[in-house]
């Protein structure tokens, strides 16, 4: 039976890559330069998902509450720049692909699906991460936080993929780990898979009502 899907879109952090250790390291390196306290990984996890600006804003807010020290706008801008610097150096220091990601992507590509990445991660960091793990060649399009005017949960990036490749939303499957992914997919009219192992603000992904909930990335092969 031919699949109803032609294109499969994927979130990056928490879906393909376990990037939390490197994100936490980079956030804490930037905070340290401003003599602000270090956040545990489990807390940084709850800040991920809305792009680097939101990540840093949440970090600064927490650090200010802990220390009583406030930063002005110029300092926050500087801290964001330092985070980008550190993260550029630590993209794949301790990050790893989640289990079965590479093999599953290769199988999907071999079966003729168009594959795309849609992430709120800063655009400048997307290709280097994919390249470091040897999966960059599998994707026909990669969209980061600055690629388009809108980011998830707005459906704009998914509409863009439909327009670029000439598919209807129902022909697109979106795979993510946070409510922003599920909201974006459903707003665009696409079915969505929610992965349970990612970064969803410590809330079970099932609560966002994806069409499928999987613990193992390889399970995608069973529904396409």
């Amino acid at each position: 039976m031919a699949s109803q899907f032609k294109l499969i879109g994927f979130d990056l952090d928490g879906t393909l890559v376990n990037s939390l250790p490197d994100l936490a390291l980079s956030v804490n390196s930037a905070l340290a330069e401003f003599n602000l306290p270090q956040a545990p990984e489990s807390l940084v996890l709850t800040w991920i998902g809305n792009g680097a600006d939101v990540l840093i804003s949440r970090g600064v807010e927490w650090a200010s509450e802990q220390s009583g020290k406030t930063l002005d706008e110029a300092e926050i801008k500087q801290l964001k720049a330092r985070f980008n610097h550190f993260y550029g150096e630590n993209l794949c220091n301790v990050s790893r692909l989640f289990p079965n990601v590479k093999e599953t992507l290769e199988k999907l590509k071999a079966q003729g699906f168009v594959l795309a990445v849609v992430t709120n991660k800063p655009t400048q960091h997307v290709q280097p991460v994919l390249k470091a793990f040897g999966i960059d060649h599998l994707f026909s399009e990669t969209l980061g936080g600055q690629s388009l005017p809108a980011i998830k949960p707005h459906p704009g990036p998914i509409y863009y993929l439909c327009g670029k490749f000439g598919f209807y939303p129902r022909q697109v499957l979106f795979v993510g780990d946070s409510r922003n992914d599920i909201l974006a997919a459903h707003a665009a009219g696409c079915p969505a898979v929610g992965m349970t192992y990612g970064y969803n603000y410590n809330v079970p992904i099932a609560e966002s009502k994806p069409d499928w909930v999987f613990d193992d990335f390889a399970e995608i092969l069973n529904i396409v």
Side-chain angles (χ1 to χ4, degrees):
M1 189 183 84
S3 175
Q4 83 171 75
F5 302 119
K6 303 294 182 191
L7 184 149
I8 308 175
F10 300 92
D11 174 50
L12 185 54
D13 295 326
T15 300
L16 303 181
V17 178
N18 182 9
S19 50
L20 174 63
D22 286 324
L23 286 167
L25 175 67
S26 304
V27 168
N28 282 325
S29 298
L31 290 173
E33 288 198 350
F34 290 81
N35 297 316
L36 290 168
Q38 304 288 281
E41 256 185 36
S42 56
L43 184 61
V44 176
L45 181 140
T46 65
W47 301 339
I48 297 171
N50 295 93
D53 282 358
V54 175
L55 170 67
I56 294 303
S57 296
R58 287 171 177 158
V60 168
E61 195 179 325
W62 171 82
S64 296
E65 282 171 10
Q66 299 299 306
S67 63
K69 181 180 177 185
T70 54
L71 301 185
D72 60 32
E73 274 184 36
E75 288 171 319
I76 291 172
K77 192 175 176 184
Q78 200 182 343
L79 194 147
K80 284 176 182 171
R82 295 305 290 155
F83 164 77
N84 270 323
H85 165 77
F86 287 122
Y87 190 54
E89 291 192 335
N90 292 310
L91 282 173
C92 303
N93 186 358
V94 275
S95 295
R96 294 290 176 266
L97 289 177
F98 284 108
N100 298 323
V101 164
K102 190 169 187 178
E103 303 85 337
T104 302
L105 290 172
E106 286 170 346
K107 284 177 186 169
L108 292 169
K109 182 77 172 173
Q111 287 172 21
F113 293 101
V114 176
L115 305 183
V117 168
V118 180
T119 173
N120 291 348
K121 178 195 274 301
T123 303
Q124 74 197 67
H125 296 318
V126 179
Q127 276 295 340
V129 168
L130 298 176
K131 204 173 172 96
F133 292 113
I135 57 173
D136 54 314
H137 64 291
L138 299 171
F139 298 102
S140 302
E141 179 63 279
T142 53
L143 301 175
Q146 290 73 43
S147 300
L148 299 169
I151 62 170
K152 300 174 298 183
H154 194 286
I158 298 176
Y159 286 143
Y160 173 84
L161 293 176
C162 291
K164 176 169 179 174
F165 295 101
F167 298 132
Y168 292 107
R170 60 182 157 76
Q171 295 176 298
V172 176
L173 176 67
F174 199 77
V175 181
D177 66 296
S178 86
R179 64 170 181 252
N180 285 334
D181 299 316
I182 311 308
L183 287 168
H186 285 167
C190 301
V193 171
M195 304 307 306
T196 58
Y197 52 67
Y199 318 139
N200 188 37
Y201 320 103
N202 288 339
V203 177
I205 191 63
E207 292 185 17
S208 297
K209 297 189 168 49
D211 301 84
W212 296 273
V213 177
F214 294 150
D215 304 318
D216 182 342
F217 194 82
E219 291 180 80
I220 296 165
L221 295 166
N222 300 333
I223 62 165
V224 297

